[in-house]
Amino acid sequence: MTTISFDGRVAIVTGAGGGLGRAYALELARRGAAVVVNDIGGTVDGTGSSTRAADAVVDEIRAAGGDAVADYGSVADPEQAAQTVRTAIESFGSVDAVVSNAGILRDRSFGNMTLEEVNAVLDVHLRGAFHIALPAYGHMKEQGYGRFVFVSSNAGLLGNFGQANYGAAKMGLVGLSNVLAIEGAKYGIKSNVIAPVAATRMTEDLLGPFAERLAPELVAPMVAYLASDGCDVTHEVFSAGGGRFARFFVGVTRGWFSPERVEAEDIAAHLSEIRETDGFRILGSATEELQLLGSTLEGGTP
Ligand code: NAI
């Protein structure tokens, strides 16, 4: 088995002052990365702030002989996020990997959700990821190397009651990662997404009897792999939790093709062919779907 080392590499982990982010930061540092431990030190709903969370993780890393620096900026603030990236470069000379993990919850059924609750969640998860990725990508492009790991959720990939704001933000990260994977390929940049499941303060009371088997540390190996030099994949989404690792993907069915103009009634009549998942394909870009459509138009069959 090849050893995965982060010696000489610099990683930013956002929201690394507790829960899953802490586990990622500890694991990357244990493997030799110099880590920027970013955390605002707030509550689950995103209120309040404290330097204690990030400081405690930095202390833990240093006590174990690793290298880390604390950063208390909010990813929701573009200026503070730009400073987080500068901190990595000024402290350690580079940014090689970004784990975009910071997150909050403002759950409510959609009928009762306020715009404030929508914006607060989008600001941290989705805009926050952009705020870090934009300056980090520029640096990675110049150095010809980079790794992004965006933290999504099954609540976005699959949907979950009461989480329209969170689900939209988490699925938005998949779109961001897909494009960074495509655009970054020629610069040695890889981008992937993880949908973790772990017992943290965010999931307290949600995981039932399995909670004690869902330690955040069990997710960290997947993040470490995706953030490493040796990562062989890009443009993908992985589920990780409790020792189970799997791939999520978007596939397109073979579908149904009509060379003649169709009516809504024809859609109803052919719905089972349109939806049939046997023979589905996984496409690597929007261009690939256009090529597929082109060959369907040429060949007359889907
Ligand atoms: P957590 O609440 O322990 O960790 C989130 C961290 O982000 C906290 O330390 C918090 O202070 C920090 N944070 C919040 N707003 C921030 C901001 N504006 N700037 C910087 N840091 C900020 O929760 P957990 O479970 O560790 O969540 C980590 C990530 O994993 C989140 O993105 C969450 O949505 C995601 N996730 C967690 C799942 C789970 O099963 N625990 C399931 C799916 C996704």
Side-chain angles (χ1 to χ4, degrees), residues 19-99:
L20 283 157
R22 170 180 166 274
Y24 305 153
L26 291 174
E27 178 62 9
L28 296 179
R30 188 178 75 82
R31 290 178 173 274
V35 181
V36 176
V37 176
N38 159 267
D39 205 295
I40 195 175
T43 57
V44 173
D45 72 2
T47 52
S49 64
S50 159
T51 56
R52 276 198 301 276
D55 283 346
V57 175
V58 168
D59 288 348
E60 250 184 291
I61 290 173
R62 289 186 181 154
D67 209 356
V69 67
D71 174 85
Y72 318 112
S74 170
V75 296
D77 180 314
E79 284 308 314
Q80 292 178 36
Q83 183 54 51
T84 303
V85 174
R86 279 199 297 276
T87 295
I89 295 164
E90 284 161 13
S91 307
F92 303 122
S94 176
V95 182
D96 300 308
V98 168
V99 183

Side-chain angles (χ1 to χ4, degrees), residues 15 17-21 38-42 44 73-76 101-104 124-125 151-153 166 170 196-198 200-203:
L20 283 157
N38 159 267
D39 205 295
I40 195 175
V44 173
S74 170
V75 296
N101 165 81
I104 63 167
V124 176
H125 291 274
V151 177
S152 185
S153 167
Y166 180 79
K170 288 307 203 187
V197 180
T200 67
R201 66 178 193 174
M202 196 181 261
T203 50

Side-chain angles (χ1 to χ4, degrees), residues 181-245:
I182 290 168
E183 292 189 9
K186 64 174 180 281
Y187 305 112
I189 297 170
K190 292 183 176 170
S191 184
N192 291 285
V193 174
I194 183 164
V197 180
T200 67
R201 66 178 193 174
M202 196 181 261
T203 50
E204 250 174 22
D205 312 324
L206 290 179
L207 300 172
F210 294 119
E212 63 191 33
R213 294 178 59 187
L214 296 172
E217 291 70 28
L218 300 178
V219 178
M222 179 58 98
V223 169
Y225 173 73
L226 296 175
S228 72
D229 281 30
C231 173
D232 254 344
V233 290
T234 189
H235 200 281
E236 298 202 1
V237 182
F238 296 94
S239 168
R244 171 184 165 273
F245 303 94

